[in-house]
Amino acid sequence: MSKKLLIGAGLALSLLFTPFNQAFAEKPTVGERKQVENVAHRGAAGYAPENTIAAYDLAVDMKVDYIEIDVQRSKDGELVSIHDTTVDDGTGKVGDLTLEQLRSLDAGSWKGEQFTGEQIPTFEEILDRYHGKVGILIELKAPEYYPGIEQQVADLIKERNLDKPQNKKIIIQSFNFESMKKMNQLLPQVQIGVLTSNRAHTTMDALKEFSTYADWFNPSYGIVTKELVNQVHSNGMKIGSWTVRNQEAADFLFEMKVDAIISDYPDYVDPRN
Ligand code: G3P
Ligand code: CA
């Protein structure tokens, strides 16, 4: 029997943290929009159930540059894409369930009847279905729960030759900086990102330290300023910001001249979709 996933707690929390007090200038032109990497957060999660094939396929149809995926590990060692670290009523941990148990969950119907039966995808399934078609921004979600996950991710990427320097369309990011240092050692030619919503991580010293192993500094948009964008660039990194769920936020980030916008609604970033 399939159970419904309790997804959405993360979304509700994220919506609480959307400070937005900076002035907006004129709207960017389509030409300017093309300069920004359009990243579909958890797939096009505004329109389809997050972290499912339906959401990633839709994002590809919308011609995004990257899909963003959250990666965790099942009890029996399979890497899967799911955002929350618990499922069902919040008491079941992802890491305590086997792949079979996770795959028996209905990851789609909470978003609409038409998505009933969507399953939690595996990381390998995502790599095989999308590499070469669209960039993949891989977030290691709570890697501290999954010892050795960095090596496992590195092996799967290497098996597919996705660690080569010519492949600029794989980025690995996390809120866990130690994990990203490890990832950089394991895959020195793959782009690494650090995630934060903490202003303490925006000092010059902090940015300098991040730049020793990261290519991307990816903050929540509430802490983005022009000065921060310039400082990130002066440390040789790019900046991608999240999570855009309204047009004003997208326009604000264009004005800040970030390098990537991570959004549930890819059409806010590129209105041609
Ligand atoms: O890619 C950035 C964003 O995904 C980080 O936050 O909670 O949505 O995984 P979260
Ligand atoms: Ca994520």
Side-chain angles (χ1 to χ4, degrees):
M1 193 167 47
S2 83
K3 301 175 201 164
K4 277 192 187 170
L5 280 173
L6 187 78
I7 298 176
L11 174 63
L13 267 178
S14 320
L15 287 171
L16 281 177
F17 294 101
T18 52
F20 206 74
N21 51 12
Q22 310 210 30
F24 308 115
E26 314 112 50
K27 292 216 163 161
T29 66
V30 168
E32 282 172 308
R33 287 177 189 274
K34 283 196 70 175
Q35 305 301 309
V36 175
E37 302 282 11
N38 189 355
V39 183
H41 184 241
R42 310 179 196 168
Y47 300 111
E50 64 182 40
N51 283 314
T52 62
I53 295 297
Y56 305 141
D57 277 357
L58 178 59
V60 172
D61 288 347
M62 295 176 87
K63 300 189 170 44
V64 301
D65 300 298
Y66 287 82
I67 53 173
E68 190 253 3
I69 70 171
D70 296 297
V71 174
Q72 299 188 59
R73 190 168 65 201
S74 70
K75 187 180 179 182
D76 48 349
E78 281 292 331
L79 300 187
V80 289
S81 185
I82 180 170
H83 178 270
D84 294 1
T85 53
T86 56
V87 295
D88 203 18
D89 59 358
T91 55
K93 291 188 187 139
V94 170
D96 287 344
L97 298 171
T98 63
L99 179 65
E100 195 183 343
Q101 288 170 316
L102 289 167
R103 297 278 281 183
S104 75
L105 302 172
D106 173 0
S109 62
W110 67 276
K111 190 74 177 173
E113 250 179 58
Q114 69 275 33
F115 299 116
T116 302
E118 279 292 325
Q119 291 180 309
I120 294 173
T122 66
F123 179 55
E124 291 197 70
E125 180 183 3
I126 295 168
L127 289 180
D128 291 337
R129 190 177 177 98
Y130 299 106
H131 84 74
K133 237 189 214 177
V134 67
I136 309 176
L137 172 58
I138 300 161
E139 179 183 346
L140 300 197
K141 182 59 79 187
E144 59 277 14
Y145 291 175
Y146 309 108
I149 192 169
E150 296 85 3
Q151 184 68 60
Q152 213 174 337
V153 166
D155 289 346
L156 295 172
I157 285 179
K158 278 187 187 164
E159 272 172 27
R160 292 163 176 80
N161 286 320
L162 297 176
D163 60 321
K164 297 290 179 273
Q166 66 270 25
N167 192 337
K168 297 287 180 202
K169 297 287 269 183
I170 296 278
I171 304 170
I172 305 176
Q173 64 172 2
S174 184
F175 288 97
N176 183 321
F177 307 146
E178 288 309 310
S179 172
M180 290 304 94
K181 276 187 202 168
K182 252 184 239 165
M183 240 19 287
N184 179 53
Q185 283 162 5
L186 291 166
L187 296 175
Q189 296 175 316
V190 170
Q191 297 182 84
I192 298 296
V194 290
L195 285 164
T196 188
S197 47
N198 185 345
R199 280 194 178 82
H201 296 142
T202 64
T203 63
M204 268 311 246
D205 283 350
L207 294 174
K208 198 177 241 175
E209 157 70 10
F210 290 138
S211 73
T212 62
Y213 59 91
D215 306 277
W216 287 84
F217 178 77
N218 293 346
S220 53
Y221 70 75
I223 63 170
V224 172
T225 61
K226 266 206 170 130
E227 190 192 6
L228 176 62
V229 173
N230 291 337
Q231 286 176 341
V232 170
H233 287 161
S234 73
N235 277 284
M237 293 183 288
K238 290 185 175 178
I239 178 166
S241 188
W242 46 277
T243 299
V244 165
R245 297 192 172 102
N246 57 61
Q247 188 62 61
E248 290 73 22
D251 292 342
F252 165 71
L253 290 173
F254 278 114
E255 179 58 21
M256 293 297 110
K257 298 199 184 305
V258 298
D259 302 293
I261 298 179
I262 302 165
S263 171
D264 284 354
Y265 300 90
D267 48 321
Y268 293 163
V269 179
D270 187 343
R272 292 168 303 171
N273 288 302

